[in-house]
Amino acid sequence: MQMSQFDQKYSQWLKHNIDSEKNQRRRELLKKRLGHRTVELLRRIWFPVVIVMLGAFCIG
């Protein structure tokens, strides 16, 4: 199964933040991942808006 663009970017972001986090407590929270509702908000609203905005800046 191929990962969606969102899933790829989310996994990269999560790995980067876990690897670079100095605070042990925050690192443990990141390892537990974000909640389902938060991820769905990012997937359905935030990510598409950012992609459109980046496209607008790249074009014009």
Side-chain angles (χ1 to χ4, degrees), residues 43-58:
R43 178 189 320 273
R44 295 172 187 256
I45 298 171
W46 184 85
F47 190 72
V49 168
V50 169
I51 295 300
V52 169
M53 290 180 69
L54 288 175
F57 285 118
C58 292

Side-chain angles (χ1 to χ4, degrees), residues 3-57:
M3 293 175 72
S4 71
Q5 185 181 9
F6 171 80
D7 291 326
Q8 290 173 345
K9 296 294 184 187
Y10 174 68
S11 293
Q12 291 169 354
W13 174 86
L14 193 59
K15 182 181 179 338
H16 170 77
N17 280 279
I18 290 170
D19 293 345
S20 63
E21 182 57 58
K22 305 290 187 234
N23 182 303
Q24 180 65 27
R25 175 68 179 141
R26 289 181 66 181
R27 190 171 37 254
E28 291 301 320
L29 289 172
L30 285 169
K31 285 180 181 179
K32 291 181 181 180
R33 301 199 168 233
L34 300 177
H36 175 73
R37 288 182 182 176
T38 302
V39 173
E40 287 303 308
L41 172 77
L42 294 173
R43 178 189 320 273
R44 295 172 187 256
I45 298 171
W46 184 85
F47 190 72
V49 168
V50 169
I51 295 300
V52 169
M53 290 180 69
L54 288 175
F57 285 118

